Amino acid sequence: MTKRLGEPPVRRTVVSGSAFEERIGYARAVVDGDRVHVSGTTGFDYASMTISGDVVEQAEQCLRNIGAALAEAGCTFADVVRVRYLLPAREDFEPCWPVLRRAFERVRPAATMMVCGLADERMRIEIEVDARRGTVVAGPGSALRFEPVDGDAMVEEWRHVHNVIVPPAAMTLDEARARAGRNRLVNAYLGDVLVGCSTVRPPEGEERVATVIARVLPAYRGRGIGTALYEEGLAHARGLGAGAVETVVLAANADGLRFARARGFVEKERYVLDGERDEWVDLRLAATAG
């Protein structure tokens, strides 16, 4: 069976740099299709292999370590379906509740707490999670949200996604600020994690042509985020009175071209900007599409 672009690989591993992973022979997480299994994770700072003596601080570091593994796997705490807490001392569990609630209150995964010995006497809590990379649908109650770019922090986030997706056209912060002054820029978040962005250039010319561009970071593709982001941008362009809608894609971005064509965009022209070597593709939304 041929794998479609944008789908997660059948199986891959995520490593964190923990010395335990190398010594014992395991991965921090395994991505198996749309399932993500994160190993039991303790409160070590893997960069320095140090650990706090405070159980609450350990719980916070556990969640930072898990969050990094989930992000590399293309998901967030919003995708967690099962969590297991392992502690040597049951009285240590309740002090951690506020930290755990902040991570899981909205998603409410199935949970189990067990009292057991851990591999190192310095470890006071270990957390293991399972997650599912399912399709994300926008709307009330969804973990997916869109925020119009406002302020330098959000401009910097928008610039990050833009530069990852189209490195030949990488922008400085000043250039991104200027873009925000001309166009409507939106950032997409899954929970609190930045996953994509969009640009809507207002209608112009006799045909009132608007440009709508949706971008999703590679790890989060294939989950419906791009579709929701594009539809939000398209609705905004039409609300501005667009008579026609176009998009532009780097020719080397096969995922982007496939996405645009699947939504009714038809190639209009290909070109290389003066002094550059990268080819760009302009596409227009067919009159009956959308």
Side-chain angles (χ1 to χ4, degrees), residues 114-132:
M114 293 178 282
V115 177
C116 61
L118 298 180
D120 186 312
E121 64 181 11
R122 293 172 293 173
M123 300 172 180
R124 297 179 65 182
I125 185 170
E126 183 169 320
I127 304 174
E128 172 187 324
V129 306
D130 295 318
R132 182 175 179 273

Side-chain angles (χ1 to χ4, degrees), residues 18-256:
S18 164
F20 297 111
E21 293 167 32
E22 289 301 314
R23 291 173 186 168
I24 300 171
Y26 68 97
R28 179 57 44 201
V30 173
V31 182
D32 187 9
D34 64 353
R35 302 285 178 176
V36 179
H37 307 279
V38 181
S39 296
T41 300
T42 61
F44 274 91
D45 179 336
Y46 297 138
S48 60
M49 286 307 293
T50 58
I51 189 168
S52 169
D54 181 80
V55 68
V56 175
E57 291 180 3
Q58 286 194 25
E60 291 171 338
Q61 185 63 49
C62 285
L63 294 174
R64 283 193 288 272
N65 294 340
I66 290 169
L70 290 172
E72 191 169 342
C75 53
T76 72
F77 284 106
D79 299 303
V80 173
V81 295
R82 156 68 74 175
V83 57
R84 297 175 182 86
Y85 305 109
L86 295 82
L87 296 94
R90 61 170 50 86
E91 61 269 20
D92 277 349
F93 190 42
E94 187 169 352
C96 298
W97 290 358
V99 172
L100 306 176
R101 187 168 58 248
R102 285 197 297 272
F104 298 114
E105 184 174 27
R106 282 192 290 182
V107 66
R108 298 294 179 98
T112 301
M113 181 273 193
M114 293 178 282
V115 177
C116 61
L118 298 180
D120 186 312
E121 64 181 11
R122 293 172 293 173
M123 300 172 180
R124 297 179 65 182
I125 185 170
E126 183 169 320
I127 304 174
E128 172 187 324
V129 306
D130 295 318
R132 182 175 179 273
R133 289 170 37 98
T135 299
V136 180
V137 179
S142 172
L144 180 64
R145 58 189 174 87
F146 305 129
E147 299 286 346
V149 169
D150 182 22
D152 274 358
M154 293 187 73
V155 170
E156 179 59 35
E157 290 181 322
W158 182 93
R159 183 177 80 99
H160 168 73
V161 177
H162 174 277
N163 290 356
V164 168
I165 305 304
V166 283
M171 293 184 189
T172 65
L173 181 57
D174 283 342
E175 289 170 332
R177 286 193 192 108
R179 187 68 57 92
R182 299 193 302 269
N183 305 322
R184 179 180 185 258
L185 308 184
V186 167
N187 288 339
Y189 303 90
L190 189 57
D192 294 325
V193 178
L194 177 71
V195 296
C197 74
S198 70
T199 301
V200 176
R201 298 174 189 163
E204 58 184 14
E206 292 183 3
E207 294 184 89
R208 294 195 56 75
V209 178
T211 300
V212 177
I213 304 171
R215 307 178 187 91
V216 177
L217 290 171
Y220 297 93
R221 292 175 183 169
R223 302 190 58 187
I225 296 170
T227 297
L229 191 57
Y230 160 70
E231 289 176 350
E232 193 273 346
L234 181 63
H236 183 79
R238 287 176 169 163
L240 295 176
V245 175
E246 294 184 352
T247 194
V248 57
V249 181
L250 185 65
N253 182 0
D255 275 1

